[in-house]
Amino acid sequence: MKQIITFILMCLVAIAATAQTEQPDSIKTQKLDEVVVVAQMQQTGASSSTYIPTGRQRTSAQNAIDLLRQLAIPQININLVDNAVSTPSGQNVAVYINYMPASAEEIEGIMTSDVRRVEYLDFPTDPRFQGNEHVVNFIMQKYEYGGYSKATVSENFLVGKLSSRASVYSKFAYKRMTYDLYAGASNHDIKHSGTSVIGNYTLENADGTPFYVTRNEIFDDSHFKYNQYPVSFRAIYDSDKVQIANTVGFNFDQSPTAETSGSLSYIPEQTEKYSYKRYEPYTSRYLVWSGNYYFILPRNFHLSVSPGINYGHTNNTYRYQTSGSEDIVNDSKENVWHFRGSATLYKIFTERQNGFIRVWYGSTSNNVSYFGTSPYDNDFLDTYAGAALGYSFSNNKWNVSADAALQWEKNKINEQSVSEVYPIVNVSAGFSPSQKHSFRAYFHFGANYPGASEKTPNILQQNELMYYTGNPEIGLSRQVTFNLSYNWMPSSKFSASAFAQYFGEYNLYVPVYKPYKDGTALLRGFETDGDYNRTQIGMSFNYKLLNGNLQLAASPSISFYRMTGLFDIKRSPFTCNASATYYLGNFYFQASYQTRNLTVQGNRGVIYKDRDFYQILAGWSRANWNIRLSAINLFRSDWLCATNTLNTPLYSETRFNDGNNFHRRLNLSVTYTFGYGKKVQRGNEVGAQQGASSAILK
């Protein structure tokens, strides 16, 4: 044994001596510099742009729309007043979560920490997007089982006695099933909300000669109470080849107190100054069912089906009283049914080519009864149906898609009906030479069909000098949109987008005022007259500094409006949204500014101007809590929200709309989230359901 140990020691000494006398390698050793790996947080392509939110952005955001604002995606704008999501040129952007549609209320309960990436798409061909032209899709982390609940409370101060929102959202998943439950409450008790109208009337004397009257309806005081209580439940089955979702919801919507009062005077003075009061309380109830079904079929076929039914009942009261004339009473009751459904069959031909066939149908039935000064009973039935055929081609750099459709619409009022068939065409092309650059162009040809309210034959009295009616004979107007855009994402610190868009609407319906009651009053109706043109040029960008702790964003644009015909209007407003966001540990701060918005509303012939809007906020988020205090328009003491101006040969008016939206206020919002179980499947939250559109003439 001793000899063996001695032999091993002698071998080790020999090996060590050999290692010391070995020749060095021909490759010299060199000290390497520090290597920093930077994650690619955003990229763009021919068909979509993808954004990965940072951990700070996820934890600081209180809901999905808030996360979009934190991301500052250049291809979208988020209105600071109402959180509406649109393209920079004003088109609606549909919000999806895991390829399923979700309203702004539905994504209130989202767990932002589970968002893995956010996609923006123009004219996507995926059948689950149901033909929407512009889409934001949240991709969420999926889990096998478990759940969470999220409570949200928001209260506004300095705007009234009560202005609060609260909601509770719960999700539970087990294997292939996911269940969502949402309950909310919105309660407001406010004043300072009303409208002052200065109207100039051209009337006729008994001998037919014209004379001019200025009617000044000046709002002085108001009291509004508003309550909303939505409840929704959804069940989702999700497997590798099948996704089935069913949602049922109920929404109680009520304004038990809706009173405005003020003074009424005329120029030239006809009598002494009057006072007026207006009462407009209402109660609405909605029941909603909607389904979303997606199947992956053999031979590369995909099928998406989306049916839905809405029912609503509304009791509406309208009373207008003055100290110098008889009361005007226009009470109404309405029952509305809305049936809708669409189906898309999608076929993958090759790795680069696919096509689809889409069919859709919808029907809205409004049964409206008016009581009081102008009693009527009306049955409205709006029906539409269509079919589309589409094709798309894509490779590493190009994405080209086109679809053509025929849509049929029928509008029936009592026994009188009109119908029309018109084409719809969409062409979209995207080119991306790399993940840092993308170009996109799209063309849309469609139509705008008047609603039931614009086509009603009833004549309702609005005030002492004005009556309203619709026109069952007006038809649709043609619409054209052409858009060019460029996206540049050179790094995760900077991204920018530029666009130019033209929108035109031809032979549009507009309000027309004619003598009524032997020239002692005016009757507002609708007729087809003139064209509407809007050209818009703009850009947007975001830039991250200080290792991502500071983010700057801005989106300036200029629009050129031109209306012809009865309304000869030219305007070229400039708008800009800007924000700065700073993260400091568990705290976050943001300052935002939105310039005044001026738009020309084509079908109303109105020039609309609101106010600029600014806010600063500070928040703290950690673990399950997110607490935020926002200061909004702190230096504005008046209550003016918007100004509307209208000019026609026989009637012109200026409306001053007062309310809380642009008045100074403080907002405190708190969210608390707690999970239960393991591997929580969080996604596609359910929320408040809305009823069908109303046909009550207003």
Side-chain angles (χ1 to χ4, degrees):
M1 185 66 177
K2 183 183 284 187
Q3 290 85 350
I4 295 175
I5 295 175
T6 302
F7 176 75
I8 293 174
L9 290 174
M10 291 177 62
C11 290
L12 292 174
V13 171
I15 292 172
T18 303
Q20 289 177 357
T21 58
E22 241 178 27
Q23 294 296 322
D25 229 355
S26 60
I27 301 177
K28 296 181 179 180
T29 61
Q30 181 178 357
K31 184 179 179 180
L32 297 176
D33 295 332
E34 181 183 5
V35 177
V36 179
V37 178
V38 179
Q40 182 68 27
M41 305 300 288
Q42 55 189 20
Q43 65 182 33
T44 186
S47 58
S48 65
S49 297
T50 303
Y51 301 85
I52 300 176
T54 65
R56 295 187 184 97
Q57 291 170 333
R58 291 189 182 102
T59 57
S60 300
Q62 291 190 336
N63 52 57
I65 302 301
D66 195 22
L67 181 58
L68 291 178
R69 183 175 283 116
Q70 303 258 358
L71 285 169
I73 295 174
Q75 293 100 320
I76 65 173
N77 273 346
I78 302 176
N79 191 292
L80 289 175
V81 181
D82 58 8
N83 289 326
V85 183
S86 65
T87 66
S89 56
Q91 278 75 43
N92 179 62
V93 175
V95 179
Y96 279 68
I97 302 177
N98 283 346
Y99 301 93
M100 297 183 64
S103 68
E105 293 85 4
E106 289 172 336
I107 57 178
E108 184 177 276
I110 195 174
M111 177 80 85
T112 55
S113 60
D114 283 341
V115 178
R116 291 299 169 257
R117 66 182 186 274
V118 179
E119 300 173 333
Y120 174 78
L121 308 96
D122 285 315
F123 292 89
T125 58
D126 192 309
R128 289 171 289 184
F129 294 130
Q130 303 171 2
N132 282 295
E133 298 172 358
H134 312 284
V135 171
V136 164
N137 184 35
F138 289 84
I139 304 298
M140 309 293 295
Q141 176 68 59
K142 291 187 177 182
Y143 295 85
E144 294 180 3
Y145 58 88
Y148 75 93
S149 292
K150 178 179 179 180
T152 301
V153 178
S154 176
E155 175 67 39
N156 289 305
F157 302 93
L158 307 179
V159 293
K161 184 177 179 181
L162 177 66
S163 180
S164 66
R165 295 180 63 253
S167 67
V168 176
Y169 170 79
S170 293
K171 176 185 286 290
F172 181 78
Y174 181 72
K175 295 183 178 180
R176 299 187 184 278
M177 293 298 301
T178 303
Y179 304 95
D180 302 78
L181 179 63
Y182 175 94
S186 181
N187 305 101
H188 304 270
D189 188 346
I190 59 177
K191 297 186 177 181
H192 308 289
S193 182
T195 302
S196 296
V197 182
I198 300 176
N200 298 301
Y201 296 74
T202 300
L203 305 177
E204 295 178 357
N205 288 307
D207 58 0
T209 59
F211 70 96
Y212 307 97
V213 175
T214 298
R215 181 181 182 274
N216 299 303
E217 182 179 303
I218 307 302
F219 156 73
D220 291 329
D221 194 16
S222 70
H223 188 194
F224 284 88
K225 291 183 179 180
Y226 173 79
N227 304 301
Q228 187 183 50
Y229 302 101
V231 179
S232 298
F233 174 77
R234 180 171 59 188
I236 303 173
Y237 173 82
D238 195 358
S239 68
D240 294 337
K241 295 186 177 182
V242 176
Q243 187 179 64
I244 298 175
N246 286 284
T247 304
V248 292
F250 172 76
N251 195 352
F252 178 81
D253 188 350
Q254 181 191 49
S255 180
T257 302
E259 303 173 359
T260 57
S261 61
S263 62
L264 182 62
S265 63
Y266 299 90
I267 301 176
E269 288 190 6
Q270 299 174 345
T271 59
E272 61 184 21
K273 184 181 292 186
Y274 297 130
S275 63
Y276 76 88
K277 290 185 178 181
R278 183 181 286 111
Y279 303 88
E280 300 177 272
Y282 71 89
T283 300
S284 297
R285 298 173 178 84
Y286 300 108
L287 286 171
V288 178
W289 167 77
S290 62
N292 288 279
Y293 313 132
Y294 178 68
F295 307 93
I296 299 178
L297 306 176
R299 299 186 179 183
N300 291 325
F301 280 99
H302 297 241
L303 177 63
S304 176
V305 182
S306 300
I309 300 175
N310 294 18
Y311 168 74
H313 176 79
T314 299
N315 292 326
N316 190 80
T317 299
Y318 179 88
R319 283 178 172 81
Y320 181 80
Q321 300 175 347
T322 69
S323 57
S325 62
E326 294 183 0
D327 294 355
I328 299 173
V329 179
N330 286 323
D331 296 344
S332 59
K333 292 184 179 180
E334 179 185 38
N335 289 298
V336 54
W337 286 92
H338 178 59
F339 302 90
R340 65 192 183 279
S342 66
T344 303
L345 183 63
Y346 182 83
K347 167 66 174 178
I348 301 175
F349 299 117
T350 66
E351 184 179 349
R352 297 183 176 182
Q353 302 181 70
N354 55 70
F356 71 86
I357 298 175
R358 179 180 298 118
V359 295
W360 60 89
Y361 172 83
S363 177
T364 302
S365 173
N366 301 82
N367 304 115
V368 185
S369 297
Y370 294 94
F371 310 93
T373 304
S374 305
Y376 290 99
D377 287 314
N378 281 326
D379 292 331
F380 300 87
L381 180 61
D382 291 328
T383 308
Y384 65 89
L389 183 64
Y391 168 83
S392 66
F393 169 84
S394 61
N395 57 22
N396 294 332
K397 295 184 177 181
W398 285 92
N399 177 268
V400 180
S401 63
D403 62 81
L406 283 177
Q407 178 149 316
W408 167 80
E409 294 203 29
K410 182 179 180 180
N411 186 281
K412 183 179 179 181
I413 303 174
N414 299 325
E415 300 303 320
Q416 186 176 3
S417 65
V418 293
S419 62
E420 191 163 355
V421 177
Y422 57 91
I424 301 174
V425 177
N426 294 306
V427 180
S428 175
F431 172 68
S432 178
S434 70
Q435 293 183 347
K436 299 180 179 181
H437 305 271
S438 67
F439 302 83
R440 176 161 290 276
Y442 65 80
F443 170 82
H444 169 78
F445 175 81
N448 179 24
Y449 204 74
S453 179
E454 287 81 8
K455 297 175 75 67
T456 178
N458 298 350
I459 297 177
L460 298 180
Q461 185 177 5
Q462 185 68 12
N463 59 49
E464 314 83 39
L465 303 177
M466 183 67 70
Y467 292 77
Y468 285 173
T469 188
N471 182 357
E473 301 298 327
I474 57 173
L476 53 81
S477 54
R478 308 295 180 180
Q479 294 180 339
V480 169
T481 304
F482 180 68
N483 188 90
L484 292 172
S485 63
Y486 167 65
N487 301 308
W488 181 38
M489 301 179 185
S491 68
S492 294
K493 296 182 178 179
F494 182 82
S495 63
S497 178
F499 74 94
Q501 184 181 98
Y502 167 77
F503 171 80
E505 185 171 353
Y506 314 109
N507 294 320
L508 72 162
Y509 63 90
V510 294
V512 176
Y513 295 83
K514 296 181 179 181
Y516 190 62
K517 295 283 186 179
D518 296 325
T520 61
L522 293 179
L523 176 65
R524 187 207 70 181
F526 290 96
E527 292 183 4
T528 300
D529 182 278
D531 299 331
Y532 177 87
N533 303 275
R534 184 192 70 223
T535 302
Q536 189 173 2
I537 301 171
M539 66 169 297
S540 55
F541 71 88
N542 72 58
Y543 183 43
K544 299 178 180 67
L545 303 166
L546 305 178
N547 197 29
N549 290 321
L550 176 63
Q551 178 175 266
L552 305 176
S555 55
S557 68
I558 185 169
S559 301
F560 303 91
Y561 291 95
R562 179 72 174 100
M563 279 190 71
T564 63
L566 177 64
F567 296 94
D568 186 7
I569 300 175
K570 291 182 181 179
R571 291 293 187 276
S572 53
F574 171 82
T575 58
C576 183
N577 293 357
S579 66
T581 306
Y582 182 68
Y583 303 96
L584 180 64
N586 294 326
F587 293 90
Y588 58 94
F589 309 88
Q590 187 177 78
S592 304
Y593 178 74
Q594 181 173 292
T595 60
R596 183 194 70 176
N597 185 34
L598 186 151
T599 59
V600 177
Q601 300 176 347
N603 292 120
R604 299 297 175 185
V606 167
I607 299 174
Y608 169 88
K609 294 186 292 185
D610 61 15
R611 313 286 298 278
D612 63 336
F613 189 99
Y614 50 92
Q615 72 173 9
I616 56 174
L617 63 86
W620 174 84
S621 62
R622 184 177 180 182
N624 300 332
W625 289 93
N626 191 316
I627 303 173
R628 175 184 301 172
L629 179 65
S630 303
I632 301 168
N633 299 324
L634 271 188
F635 302 103
R636 180 170 294 144
S637 59
D638 65 84
W639 301 87
L640 180 64
C641 290
T643 303
N644 298 271
T645 57
L646 169 75
N647 284 288
T648 71
L650 295 183
Y651 178 70
S652 63
E653 72 173 23
T654 302
R655 287 179 175 263
F656 301 97
N657 299 323
D658 285 8
N660 299 332
N661 288 343
F662 295 87
H663 181 73
R664 62 186 173 200
R665 69 178 182 269
L666 296 174
N667 175 267
L668 177 64
S669 58
V670 180
T671 65
Y672 176 73
T673 309
F674 63 93
Y676 34 88
K678 296 181 179 180
K679 296 185 178 181
V680 184
Q681 181 180 3
R682 303 166 181 164
N684 201 11
E685 279 77 1
V686 68
Q689 302 297 305
Q690 300 297 327
S693 59
S694 173
I696 296 176
L697 181 64
K698 296 181 180 180

